[in-house]
Amino acid sequence: MIVVNSDSNKGNFLLEGNLKEILDNRRLLLSMKRLNYGMDEGKIGIPYKEETKIQILTEIQGILEKFGFSYELSKEAENNLESYTRELRDFFEFAEYARKIRNNEFSDNLSLINEFEDFQKVVKNHLVRRLYPLQLLSAFHLAFSQNACNFAVPGAGKTSIVYGAYSYLKNLPLENPKHVDRILVIGPISSFAPWENEYEECFGKKPSSFRLSGGEEESKNKKLEHLYSGNPAEITLIWHGAVEGLQSEIVDFLKKHKTMVIVDEAHRIKNAYGHWGKSSVEIAKEARARVVLTGTPVPNGYEDLYNLYQFIYPYKFKDILKVHYSNLVDMTKNSNLESERVKAFTKNISPFFIRIKKKDLNLPPIKNYQIPVQMDELQSEIYDFIEEKYVSSFLGNQSATIKDVLNKARLIRLRQAASNPSLLLRSIQDNLDKEDYDGLKTFGQERLGEFQNDSDILYKIGDYEKNYIPQKYIKTSELVSEIISKSGKVIMWTIFIQTAIRLREYLSSKDIKSELLIGEVEQASREIIIQKFNNPEDQDFQ
C-alpha cells in the first residue's frame, strides 16, 4: 500500500510505504519524471506550487491507478481535495454572477446593483471619456470577473472598455486582492500607439509607457532596466512574438507589480502548441488580472478558444471548458450550432466573455459595391492556365480542404494571378506580412516549380511584368481620383504587399500621392503617416 502525504512546509507531495515496486518500475518513473520527482529522506517527493497543488495530486493518483498500485490519501491530502472542491463550488457561484452581469440580468440582486453603482461612480470620476451603456456593462463585467474575454466587433471601443475596468480596479484599496496599478499589453506593434492615445483620450493625460518592442530597438539593458525598476511605467507594451525571449524577466516583473495583462488581437496566440501561446499562458499565471481582446475569436474553429481560456484562467480553464482540445477539434469538424454539446460548451464559457455585436452599435448600413474589371488578354491567359492546373488538383483529391497548407498556397496563387500576374514571380513569403504566411513558408519560390517547367507560361508572366499594367490598377486609379475630388482622402487595402508597393508606384505616375502602411515601414513612420492622414488641415493628404 502506498500512502500519498502532503508536506505543506516543503511544498511537496510524499509517496510513502513500500516504494521498491515503484522504484523498479521504469515506465512509471518515466511518467513521474515530468512531475520532477526526487528522493526525500527515503520517500518520493513531488514538488508543487499552491496554485498547481490539486492538478499535481490528481496526476499522481492517475499514474498510480494506471500502473495498478493501491494507495490511500493522508488526512492532509484529503483536506486539500475537499478544500479544492469547495473553492470550485465558490468559483462557479461567482461565474453565475458574472453570467448575470454579462446578460444584464442582475436587477434582482441588491449586492450586484450596489457594486455596479459604485463602479459607475468611480468610472465617472476618473474617466474623461464617457462610456455608453453597453460599454459600461462590458467594463463592469471585466472589473467584476477580473479575468475575461471581450469579443466585441471592431469599433465597439474595446480599449475604452478595458480602461474603464482598469480605472475601477486601480482605485480599489491597496489591500484589496483585486487592486491593480499597472498594465502590460501584448499585441501587434501597430496597436501600441492606439493604446497610448486612447489612454490620453480616456484619462485626459498622457500615459507613462514603455515599449519593449517596436520603433527604435531598445537595448536589452534598457528593457531589463524597465522590467526590474522599482517604479516602472504604468503601461508596458510588447509584441506577441517577443514575449518568449523575455518570459522569465516578465514573470519577475509581474511578481513585483499588481498588473493587468492584456492580449490584444488575441487570435494570434490561438495555437495551443505554438510558442506565442505558451509564453503568454506562462506569464498569465503571475498576472493580477487577465484580459483577452479579439473580434475574431474562432477564425478556424472551437479549438481556437482553448488557449484564450487557458490564458484568462491558467489553473481552472479545464473546469470551465469541460472538454479536451481534441474534442474541440472534433466539434469544429462536425459543427452543428444546434447540437447539444455545442450548446453545453457555449453555456460553460459564456460567463467569461462578452461580445458587442454590429447591430448593438446602431451604425448606419454599409454599402458594398462590386466593380467588375475585365482582365486583359494576356492576364486572362495566365489566370486560365493556373486555374486549370490547380482546380483539377482539387477535383482529383476529394479530401482537399482550404485549411491544407498546399491548397491554401494554391488559392493564394490564383488570387495573385487575378490581381497582378507579376506577383507569381515571387515567393508567397515575399507577398505576405510575416503574421499572414505562417505555415506557408515551404511553399515559396521552390514550390512554384509546379508550373516552372512550362517555359512558355513563365515567359508570358515575365513579359507581363515588363510590358503590362493590370487593369485593376487602372480602374483603381480612376476611382481614387474620383473620390479625392469629392472628399480629399481615401484608404485602400490590398491582400498582397507587392500589390501595395506597385500600386503606389502606378498612382505616383498619375500624380496621386499615397503612403504605405506595411510591415517593412518602421513603426515611428507609420504613426506619423496615420497622424498626418487624420489631421484635416494637413496638406500632404489633400
Side-chain angles (χ1 to χ4, degrees):
M1 176 67 72
I2 305 298
V3 177
V4 182
N5 207 339
S6 176
D7 185 342
S8 56
N9 293 324
K10 291 183 178 180
N12 270 358
F13 284 115
L14 300 171
L15 303 190
E16 306 175 24
N18 184 10
L19 302 180
K20 186 176 186 306
E21 288 185 52
I22 288 182
L23 296 173
D24 288 343
N25 191 320
R26 292 186 178 180
R27 291 179 58 220
L28 184 150
L29 292 179
L30 189 62
S31 295
M32 288 210 303
K33 186 175 181 180
R34 60 189 177 81
L35 299 180
N36 297 317
Y37 81 92
M39 297 307 296
D40 185 352
E41 297 179 358
K43 303 168 187 175
I44 296 177
I46 299 171
Y48 63 79
K49 292 181 180 178
E50 194 61 34
E51 57 268 26
T52 61
K53 182 190 296 185
I54 301 304
Q55 180 184 338
I56 298 294
L57 179 56
T58 53
E59 288 194 41
I60 292 171
Q61 290 176 287
I63 292 171
L64 293 175
E65 290 168 5
K66 177 181 177 180
F67 290 96
F69 283 87
S70 298
Y71 68 90
E72 64 180 29
L73 300 180
S74 69
K75 190 65 178 175
E76 185 174 354
E78 280 186 351
N79 289 340
N80 287 333
L81 281 177
E82 290 174 7
S83 174
Y84 179 73
T85 302
R86 287 194 301 272
E87 180 185 323
L88 203 57
R89 186 173 62 246
D90 292 342
F91 174 74
F92 283 108
E93 183 179 334
F94 153 83
E96 278 307 305
Y97 287 141
R99 189 197 304 276
K100 286 178 178 291
I101 295 171
R102 173 190 186 273
N103 297 331
N104 199 9
E105 296 173 347
F106 58 94
S107 59
D108 59 343
N109 188 303
L110 186 59
S111 174
L112 290 180
I113 291 173
N114 291 336
E115 190 168 344
F116 188 38
E117 288 178 354
D118 291 341
F119 171 82
Q120 292 180 86
K121 288 176 184 175
V122 171
V123 171
K124 185 177 181 180
N125 288 337
H126 292 90
L127 242 64
V128 175
R129 171 175 283 171
R130 292 291 169 253
L131 303 182
Y132 60 77
L134 268 178
Q135 289 179 325
L136 263 177
L137 184 69
S138 298
F140 178 51
H141 175 265
L142 173 55
F144 177 85
S145 305
Q146 208 167 358
N147 305 291
C149 303
N150 189 316
F151 298 148
V153 297
K158 289 191 285 289
T159 308
S160 296
I161 289 169
V162 171
Y163 280 140
Y166 172 70
S167 69
Y168 176 75
L169 296 174
K170 184 180 180 182
N171 285 283
L172 290 172
L174 294 177
E175 64 275 8
N176 190 305
K178 295 177 72 171
H179 172 82
V180 297
D181 54 20
R182 295 285 187 284
I183 285 178
L184 169 66
V185 178
I186 302 169
I189 293 173
S190 58
S191 74
F192 293 176
W195 275 100
E196 293 166 338
N197 296 337
E198 286 286 314
Y199 183 100
E200 186 172 1
E201 292 287 332
C202 287
F203 294 101
K205 60 181 180 180
K206 289 186 178 295
S208 162
S209 64
F210 187 91
R211 300 183 181 188
L212 289 172
S213 45
E216 294 183 8
E217 281 297 315
E218 295 281 359
S219 69
K220 183 70 178 284
N221 287 340
K222 282 281 187 184
K223 294 175 183 177
L224 295 180
E225 183 181 325
H226 167 75
L227 290 171
Y228 288 103
S229 167
N231 186 28
E234 184 176 5
I235 300 177
T236 301
L237 302 132
I238 185 169
W239 171 56
H240 300 97
V243 174
E244 185 182 14
L246 288 168
Q247 181 178 312
S248 61
E249 290 85 355
I250 293 172
V251 167
D252 290 342
F253 173 86
L254 296 177
K255 285 178 178 178
K256 291 188 299 180
H257 303 286
K258 300 172 180 179
T259 308
M260 172 187 280
V261 178
I262 302 156
V263 181
D264 198 0
E265 300 291 340
H267 50 275
R268 298 184 183 183
I269 67 159
K270 63 184 181 296
N271 186 347
Y273 303 103
H275 294 299
W276 293 11
K278 285 182 178 178
S279 300
S280 298
V281 168
E282 283 305 309
I283 70 167
K285 293 175 181 177
E286 302 297 339
R288 180 65 69 95
R290 310 175 190 93
V291 183
V292 155
L293 302 178
T294 176
T296 53
V298 285
N300 298 310
Y302 296 106
E303 62 270 25
D304 292 338
L305 292 169
Y306 189 88
N307 237 29
L308 305 190
Y309 273 78
Q310 190 175 7
F311 173 82
I312 61 169
Y313 277 110
Y315 301 112
K316 288 191 175 73
F317 75 101
K318 291 182 180 178
D319 295 312
I320 295 170
L321 300 179
K322 291 186 170 64
V323 290
H324 295 294
Y325 182 81
S326 57
N327 300 131
L328 296 176
V329 174
D330 185 61
M331 281 169 58
T332 297
K333 289 181 179 178
N334 303 286
S335 180
N336 179 353
L337 295 177
E338 299 303 316
S339 72
E340 290 304 315
R341 64 173 179 167
V342 169
K343 289 179 181 178
F345 175 69
T346 304
K347 183 179 179 182
N348 291 340
I349 67 172
S350 64
F352 310 101
F353 81 85
I354 201 161
R355 178 172 175 80
I356 297 176
K357 302 173 184 176
K358 282 185 180 178
K359 64 180 182 180
D360 298 323
L361 300 177
N362 295 319
L363 297 174
I366 297 174
K367 294 181 180 179
N368 292 310
Y369 300 96
Q370 291 185 351
I371 301 176
V373 178
Q374 184 67 43
M375 296 181 188
D376 58 55
E377 186 176 343
L378 182 56
Q379 182 178 9
S380 182
E381 184 180 349
I382 294 168
Y383 180 86
D384 289 345
F385 173 87
I386 297 172
E387 181 185 48
E388 181 180 357
K389 194 173 190 69
Y390 287 163
V391 170
S392 62
S393 72
F394 290 139
L395 295 175
N397 180 6
Q398 297 300 315
S399 64
T401 73
I402 60 170
K403 290 186 179 181
D404 296 336
V405 170
L406 182 58
N407 292 331
K408 268 186 180 178
R410 286 170 171 167
L411 290 172
I412 288 172
R413 287 302 192 198
L414 277 171
R415 283 185 170 184
Q416 288 176 326
S419 175
N420 178 0
S422 302
L423 302 179
L424 296 165
L425 296 172
R426 290 174 172 265
S427 71
I428 287 179
Q429 179 173 333
D430 288 339
N431 275 285
L432 296 177
D433 267 327
K434 181 178 180 181
E435 291 155 348
D436 294 329
Y437 70 74
D438 188 32
L440 295 170
K441 297 175 186 178
T442 58
F443 195 91
Q445 193 68 38
E446 68 278 7
R447 298 306 299 266
L448 197 54
E450 290 200 33
F451 52 84
Q452 249 177 355
N453 291 333
D454 194 309
S455 58
D456 182 50
I457 201 69
L458 278 176
Y459 171 80
K460 289 176 179 178
I461 294 172
D463 184 44
Y464 197 93
E465 181 177 43
K466 294 175 185 175
N467 301 311
Y468 286 78
I469 300 295
Q471 292 299 306
K472 284 187 177 181
Y473 288 17
I474 297 171
K475 185 63 179 177
T476 299
S477 172
E478 294 171 358
L479 287 171
V480 168
S481 294
E482 182 183 343
I483 295 170
I484 287 176
S485 67
K486 294 177 181 178
S487 59
K489 298 180 182 181
V490 61
I491 299 175
M492 291 176 282
W493 281 269
T494 66
I495 295 174
F496 305 111
I497 291 174
Q498 291 302 319
T499 296
I501 294 171
R502 295 185 184 200
L503 179 58
R504 186 192 185 207
E505 292 171 354
Y506 178 71
L507 292 175
S508 178
S509 73
K510 299 295 180 181
D511 296 323
I512 298 174
K513 179 177 174 57
S514 60
E515 297 287 355
L516 291 176
L517 291 178
I518 57 178
E520 62 191 50
V521 177
E522 290 186 0
Q523 183 61 21
S525 299
R526 292 167 66 97
E527 291 175 18
I528 291 172
I529 291 169
I530 293 170
Q531 287 174 1
K532 288 165 73 73
F533 185 87
N534 288 330
N535 183 354
E537 298 180 2
D538 196 290
Q539 297 301 311
D540 283 349
F541 284 98
Q542 298 301 320

